[in-house]
Amino acid sequence: MRRPLPADVASRLEGIRPSGDGYIARCPAHDDHSPSLSVSVGDGGKLLIHCHAGCDQHTVLDAIQATPQMLDPEREERRQDDGEWTPRGPAVAVYDYVDENGTLLFAVCRTADKQFPQRRPDRTAKSGWAWSLGDTRRVLYRLPHVIAAVQDGQTIWIAEGEKDVHALEVAGVVATCSPGGAGKWRDEYAEHLTDADVIVVADKDKPGQAHARSVAVSIGNRGGRVRIVEARTGKDAADHLAAGHGLDEFLTTHEPDVAAKPDLALDIHDYLAQGDDEIEWLIPNLIERGDRIMITAFEGWAKSTFLRQLAIAAAAGLHPFTGQQIEPLRVVLVDCENSDRQTRRAFRWILPIAQTVYGSDIPRGGFYPLVRPEGIDLGREEDAQWLLERVTAHKPDLLIIGPVYRLLTEDANTDVTIRKIISAIDRARVAVDCAVVLEAHAGHGNGLNSRSTRPLGSSMWMRWVESGIGFAPFDGTDLEAKTPLELAHWKPGRDRELKHWPRFIRHGGRGRDGEMREWPWMPDELYGDDGQLVTA
């Protein structure tokens, strides 16, 4: 029975006419005036080709630019059902990499235990495959589709692996990846993405994020406009889409640079005519947008508890001292000292206070704790980019980060080192116009009460912060209970008369049942909105 030829095959042959169970056509591999190429469609849609003049089959297939899908449409399904043999176990999927014309160059096999042996066609091997690529040319996955899409002005999505590419294709976009996964990008891959609009989906781990950055730089050097995104749920593009999220719901961690405009000065009258001079309060009479605040304390004096209280209260729409209702803030807290277990235990203790005592909860998307007990080194561009990406993705109103000694690996006493940290934090702060609260340890002294609450390290902190507030003991402090404490302003802030931090704080109270009845840290004295001293 003669089966019809696929349209994309028939369109590439000349002089086709029926012959027996198939067709005959002029062979494109030689000067064929008398049709000598037999073509037919076998079981499962396989394309069968033979030149009676003796042309090599691979030469003929190359001449008609035959793709693996044209040769065997059911190949992928059969691979998944039967599990093709590989040196590392049966393949659950096989991904073909072809050149610009659709000619197979090599294939990447995926095993059930996530190994990825690679193979290339080898006519001398019994199996037809060699299990090493050698000097085989490497190309982007789905290269012909990518080239066509770039020419049409479409956006190209780049994932870390082939499984994610398939998931993105099902979602309706043109997608690709480089062979080998994270860290294997080559600059020559960007040749086909010159001046293209590209979205890179970074896997949510350190190798994936570093890979996405290198891809963005490579394509940017070719004039491409690159946005980096991450999954809202799960680790990668496939997880994100499987969770039911759409393409427009990926979290953006890097936006393409906009061409810089000349930074021209304004005439004084035009300058004064611009904008609004009013303070934009995030927490009324406490923290304004863009603030740079450092909280210091001696070791073990519960400043971490206070910062968690501040984060939960702000995200729940509560004043961190009084519990009064405020506009909820989006908060990112980067804890570089405590473990996930310690942090979860602390939040499970404080969050119910907001819910049950003050009647407010944190909305979804309002608070993002990022726990990095191994610390980060903001002196390294990779870690500085990580912070910028987290802030760009979550767009907080308030960024709480620290402690300072876990943000660097170099000598904290040098201005050069501190300048790197300040630069990294300021890049993140300015990117989303948020306020920053930075945690630091206070310096050492000869005795408990003689210690300064200024931060350890370089004096540059004094020049950078707008408000420096230290938890300090005073003459009436119960040294055993470490309460109450004085909030000593070692760096008075701008508009200090408008910012009403309490003078003293004490441990919050518990009821007879042991349940907390107020915030862990409560003010003993607090200035009200009218500037008058209020006793809590």
Side-chain angles (χ1 to χ4, degrees), residues 93-113:
V94 180
Y95 308 110
D96 292 324
Y97 281 74
V98 301
D99 67 12
E100 295 86 341
N101 300 316
T103 302
L104 178 65
L105 297 174
F106 62 93
V108 175
C109 303
R110 177 189 178 98
T111 66
D113 58 350

Side-chain angles (χ1 to χ4, degrees), residues 284-521:
N285 297 107
L286 203 68
I287 299 176
E288 66 174 297
R289 188 173 296 281
D291 258 347
R292 303 186 301 271
I293 300 171
M294 180 177 280
I295 302 293
T296 58
F298 307 147
E299 297 86 347
W301 286 67
K303 63 182 177 301
S304 294
T305 299
F306 169 73
L307 293 175
R308 295 184 187 117
Q309 171 179 321
L310 173 63
I312 284 178
L318 297 167
H319 192 287
F321 290 118
T322 66
Q324 294 175 327
Q325 295 285 332
I326 64 172
E327 188 69 26
L329 305 179
R330 183 175 293 179
V331 179
V332 167
L333 182 145
V334 184
D335 186 335
C336 294
E337 188 171 43
N338 300 287
S339 70
D340 280 304
R341 289 188 179 88
Q342 292 168 325
T343 303
R344 280 194 291 265
R345 286 198 299 267
F347 283 135
R348 288 194 178 109
W349 168 54
I350 301 175
L351 181 57
I353 299 173
Q355 297 166 328
T356 61
V357 176
Y358 297 104
S360 189
D361 202 353
I362 298 174
R364 280 281 178 182
F367 181 24
Y368 296 94
L370 299 171
V371 179
R372 292 282 297 263
E374 72 277 19
I376 56 178
D377 183 0
L378 293 181
R380 296 174 61 243
E381 182 60 20
E382 181 178 340
D383 282 4
Q385 282 290 340
W386 176 86
L387 178 62
L388 179 60
E389 289 167 359
R390 300 312 98 201
V391 169
T392 302
H394 300 305
K395 296 179 173 55
D397 301 296
L398 178 62
L399 169 65
I400 302 173
I401 182 171
V404 164
Y405 83 96
R406 302 289 290 163
L407 303 181
L408 72 167
T409 58
E410 300 177 38
D411 185 359
N413 293 302
T414 68
D415 287 357
V416 172
T417 300
I418 300 305
R419 188 177 290 112
K420 293 177 182 178
I421 300 177
I422 288 172
S423 175
I425 293 175
D426 270 342
R427 284 167 63 188
R429 179 179 65 91
V430 172
V432 296
D433 193 19
C434 66
V436 174
V437 176
L438 188 60
E439 176 188 1
H441 288 303
H444 300 288
N446 296 325
L448 182 64
N449 289 335
S450 65
R451 290 173 60 178
S452 168
T453 58
R454 288 177 52 175
L456 287 167
S458 167
S459 62
M460 181 169 283
W461 291 123
M462 291 290 292
R463 301 192 291 274
W464 180 72
V465 300
E466 293 176 314
S467 297
I469 301 169
F471 288 19
F474 68 106
D475 290 342
T477 298
D478 181 340
L479 298 184
E480 183 68 25
K482 298 180 181 178
T483 184
L485 298 179
E486 180 183 3
L487 296 193
H489 289 259
W490 50 265
K491 171 69 181 292
R494 296 176 306 173
D495 304 317
R496 185 181 176 186
E497 70 280 1
L498 301 176
K499 297 179 179 179
H500 305 150
W501 287 79
R503 293 177 57 192
F504 305 100
I505 56 175
R506 58 173 173 78
H507 285 308
R510 295 178 181 268
R512 292 183 178 179
D513 56 3
E515 294 295 324
M516 291 294 294
R517 298 304 183 199
E518 52 192 2
W519 290 126
W521 281 111

Side-chain angles (χ1 to χ4, degrees), residues 4-12:
L5 286 177
D8 54 354
V9 174
S11 66
R12 303 181 188 196

Side-chain angles (χ1 to χ4, degrees), residues 185-196 198 212-226 254 256-257:
W185 180 267
R186 298 183 176 188
D187 278 338
E188 59 259 33
Y189 298 150
E191 292 177 8
H192 301 289
L193 299 166
T194 300
D195 296 329
V198 176
R213 294 182 202 114
S214 67
V215 172
V217 170
S218 177
I219 297 172
N221 290 337
R222 297 270 183 173
R225 295 162 296 281
V226 185
H254 170 78
D257 291 333

